Amino acid sequence: MAEEVVLLDFWPSPFGMRSRIALAEKGIKYEHKEEDLRNKSALLLQMNPVHKKIPVLIHNGKPVCESLIQVQYIDEVWHDKAPLLPSDPYQKATARFWADYVDKKIYEVGGRVWKTKGEKQATAKKELIETLKLLEKELGDKPYFGGESLGYVDVAFIPFYSWFYALEKCGNFSIEAECPKLIAWAKRCMQKESVAKSLPDQQKVYDFILEMKKHFGIE
Amino acid sequence: MGEEVKVFGYWASPYSYRAELALKLKGVSYEYINEDIFGNKSDLLLKYNPVHKKVPVLLHNGKPIVESVVILEYIEETWKHNLYLPQDPYDKATARFWIKFIDEKCFPTLWLAAWSPENEREKVTNEACEYMKTLESALNGKKFFGGETIGMVDIVASSVGYFIRVTQEIMGLNLLSADKFPQLFQWSEDFANCSIVKESLPPRDKLLPFVKGLIAKYQQDNAKA
C-alpha cells in the first residue's frame, strides 16, 4: 500500500527538525507543509486540536503529535532501517532519560538567553553552559550519543545547534570555548546528509530571533 | 538468575507510586526503600540519580533507571507479560501523547489550583477544567484509558484520579466532580476500586494530613516570594 506521510512544520522549530531528521535517516518520502504560526491552517487545527502546535506527523491520514513521540513512532514503524533507539531496554531507558533532559532544559534555558538581559541573562547563560557541559560529559568519547551511529538523543539534541550562533550573539559568549567536544560532536552530525538537510542556516535563525525580539519588544 | 529489583521512593509521592503499581501489575517482587526526601536524601539516592536527585529510582540488578515515565517504559520492555502499552505503534503513540498531556498540563495545573491564593485560583481552575475535559475525551466511553484493563495512561493518571481527589477534599474544592466530569469521575472510582490499586495506594487517612501540610508550605513559600 502506498504510504502517505505529511509533516506540518515551521522552519526554525528545533522540534520540527527532529522529525525531519528521523524521516531522512529512514529514507522516507514525505510532503513537507510549512505553517504560518500567526495563521494556522485548518489542517493543523484539525490534526492537533489539543495543542494546535507543530510539528504534526500525519501517516496515512492519522496524526501523531509531539516531536519525541513522532521520532519513536517513526523508529517503530520503519524499524528495518537506521534504528534510532537501542534494542536493549536499559540502553533504551538511558537514551529516553537524556532526550527527556534535553527537552526539559535546552529550550527553556536557551529561550531565557535571548529573551532577557542583564542579570537574568547572565544566570541563563550560566545555566545553559552547565546543561551543555553535563551533556558533553554524557557523550564522553563516543562519536555520537547513540554510539557509533546517530541515535535518539542525537536526533533530540542536534536541532538546537542551529540556534547556537543566535544565542551566542544575543548573549555575547562562545559555546565552543566552553564545550569544545560538544561542538565537535555537532559538526560531526552536520556531516550527515539527514542532519544537514534538516537544519536551517544559523544566520537565518539569528535573523529570525532578531525579528522575534523586535516583535516582542525585547531590546 | 535471581532478579534484584529495588524501588527508592516516597510513600506519598504520586510519581513513586507509578513505579510500584507497574511492578505490582507485572507481579514483580521488589524491595522498597522509603527516602526522606524532605529531610535527608540518602547517599545511594544521590549516587543513582545525580542529575535530578529525585524519587522514584528503579534499581534492576544494580543498574538505576530514573524518571517515572522512563521507568514505566523500562518495566514494560523488561517484563513482557501483562502488557500495559498497546502493541500497535499508532495506539502506542496515542498513549504516550496522553501521558505527556497529563504530566505537562493536567497534573501541574490541578496541583496549582489546589494551593493557589484565592485571587489567582479562578484562572488556574478554569485552565485545569479545560484540561480535564480534554483528558475525559480520551476515555471515549472506555472503562479505563487502556480499555478493559489498566494501561500505562491509567497508571500515570492515578496522579489525577487519586492524589488530586485527596487534595481537593482538603481544600474543599470540587475540581474532579461527578456532575462536571461524569466519565472521568467514574474512571477514578473504578480505578481506585481495582484490588491491585487499592492495596498499593497510600492510605487516605495518612495522605490527607500530609498533603494539608504540603499545601500550607507551598502557600507560605509563595507568600514570601
Side-chain angles (χ1 to χ4, degrees):
Chain A
M1 180 185 82
E3 299 269 31
E4 196 201 55
V5 183
V6 181
L7 184 70
L8 304 182
D9 200 356
F10 180 52
W11 70 268
S13 161
F15 307 104
M17 288 175 218
R18 289 168 170 174
S19 299
R20 283 175 233 164
I21 297 169
L23 289 164
E25 277 287 298
K26 304 282 185 175
I28 300 160
K29 291 199 162 32
Y30 67 98
E31 186 188 346
H32 185 265
K33 283 198 165 148
E34 187 70 13
E35 284 283 332
D36 175 4
L37 298 186
R38 289 161 303 182
N39 194 11
K40 292 176 181 178
S41 71
L43 183 63
L44 174 57
L45 301 178
Q46 181 201 354
M47 290 286 143
N48 191 358
V50 174
H51 301 299
K52 306 173 176 53
K53 286 182 171 180
I54 57 91
V56 181
L57 179 77
I58 310 172
H59 184 204
N60 294 332
K62 301 204 290 188
V64 180
C65 305
E66 299 296 317
S67 62
L68 288 181
I69 296 176
Q70 288 162 11
V71 174
Q72 288 183 82
Y73 176 81
I74 291 164
D75 203 36
E76 284 159 17
V77 173
W78 291 277
H79 52 80
D80 46 354
K81 186 177 177 195
L84 295 170
L85 274 166
S87 46
D88 170 69
Y90 186 75
Q91 287 177 22
K92 215 186 259 196
T94 305
R96 287 196 171 115
F97 172 83
W98 287 107
D100 175 69
Y101 180 78
V102 167
D103 246 13
K104 283 189 163 88
K105 298 291 238 173
I106 307 286
Y107 188 71
E108 192 269 324
V109 179
R112 278 191 277 130
V113 170
W114 69 263
K115 286 178 188 166
T116 64
K117 12 176 217 163
E119 219 183 293
K120 283 197 176 142
Q121 191 188 54
T123 305
K125 277 157 63 180
K126 185 164 170 277
E127 260 186 73
L128 182 67
I129 294 299
E130 273 167 16
T131 303
L132 294 176
K133 281 200 160 133
L134 191 62
L135 284 158
E136 195 178 50
K137 187 168 160 222
E138 171 57 22
L139 178 67
D141 292 320
K142 305 194 293 290
Y144 303 99
F145 285 93
E148 291 304 310
S149 56
L150 207 72
Y152 186 62
V153 181
D154 303 277
V155 174
F157 184 23
I158 192 61
F160 294 99
Y161 176 65
S162 66
W163 282 55
F164 279 8
Y165 175 70
L167 296 181
E168 286 172 322
K169 293 285 280 187
C170 292
N172 193 28
F173 68 126
S174 163
I175 294 174
E176 184 158 16
E178 303 273 0
C179 308
K181 275 182 147 179
L182 205 62
I183 298 301
W185 159 80
K187 291 183 174 165
R188 192 176 302 127
C189 289
M190 289 296 287
Q191 301 212 331
K192 305 212 73 175
E193 200 190 332
S194 59
V195 178
K197 271 192 341 183
S198 304
L199 265 54
D201 172 65
Q202 299 214 16
Q203 180 65 49
K204 228 183 140 192
V205 174
Y206 180 48
D207 294 338
F208 169 75
I209 295 286
L210 289 178
E211 242 190 80
M212 295 273 277
K213 281 169 76 116
K214 236 193 297 183
H215 178 77
F216 287 111
I218 306 163
E219 261 292 290
Chain B
M1 179 187 79
E3 296 263 37
E4 195 201 51
V5 185
K6 296 185 184 186
V7 172
F8 292 79
Y10 184 65
W11 70 273
S13 159
Y15 299 103
S16 166
Y17 174 69
R18 292 169 184 185
E20 290 200 83
L21 179 59
L23 289 169
K24 287 192 202 286
L25 285 168
K26 301 275 187 183
V28 175
S29 310
Y30 63 95
E31 183 192 337
Y32 176 77
I33 298 127
N34 195 58
E35 283 283 330
D36 179 15
I37 60 173
F38 294 103
N40 242 341
K41 291 176 181 177
S42 75
D43 288 339
L44 276 181
L45 176 65
L46 301 177
K47 171 182 159 193
Y48 292 134
N49 192 359
V51 175
H52 300 303
K53 307 175 176 46
K54 288 181 173 180
V55 294
V57 174
L58 175 73
L59 200 69
H60 185 206
N61 294 331
K63 301 205 281 198
I65 301 106
V66 309
E67 292 297 299
S68 66
V69 178
V70 177
I71 291 172
L72 292 180
E73 296 257 13
Y74 176 82
I75 291 170
E76 175 78 344
E77 283 152 13
T78 303
W79 291 279
K80 291 194 207 291
H81 54 272
N82 295 0
L83 296 174
Y84 48 64
L85 261 183
Q87 296 277 279
D88 171 70
Y90 187 77
D91 295 337
K92 211 186 268 198
T94 305
R96 287 177 176 145
F97 175 85
W98 290 115
I99 285 162
K100 196 164 199 256
F101 180 75
I102 291 165
D103 266 356
E104 287 182 4
K105 302 286 185 189
C106 278
F107 190 36
T109 38
L110 280 165
W111 174 242
L112 205 62
W115 67 264
S116 279
E118 288 266 8
N119 57 334
E120 291 167 26
R121 195 176 293 163
E122 195 183 331
K123 181 166 173 267
V124 184
T125 302
N126 288 338
E127 212 185 322
C129 284
E130 281 301 315
Y131 292 144
M132 284 207 286
K133 206 171 9 163
T134 304
L135 184 62
E136 194 177 51
S137 75
L139 266 174
N140 201 19
K142 305 192 299 278
K143 185 173 185 195
F144 298 110
F145 291 98
E148 281 305 301
T149 53
I150 290 176
M152 196 160 138
V153 180
D154 300 273
I155 299 173
V156 171
S158 63
S159 308
V160 172
Y162 183 72
F163 293 84
I164 289 294
R165 274 189 70 177
V166 168
T167 303
Q168 67 180 17
E169 244 187 85
I170 299 163
M171 301 308 288
L173 297 166
N174 205 15
L175 295 163
L176 178 51
S177 68
D179 44 272
K180 267 193 271 175
F181 306 105
Q183 273 195 76
L184 200 59
F185 184 84
Q186 188 56 50
W187 163 81
S188 69
E189 296 274 292
D190 291 335
F191 179 76
N193 277 327
C194 289
S195 53
I196 204 164
V197 170
K198 229 195 306 208
E199 71 192 34
S200 55
L201 282 169
R204 245 179 100 260
D205 55 357
K206 234 184 134 190
L207 198 60
L208 273 165
F210 169 79
V211 178
K212 208 171 182 184
L214 194 65
I215 288 177
K217 183 180 179 298
Y218 268 78
Q219 288 173 329
Q220 216 175 32
D221 290 349
N222 192 53
K224 265 193 257 159

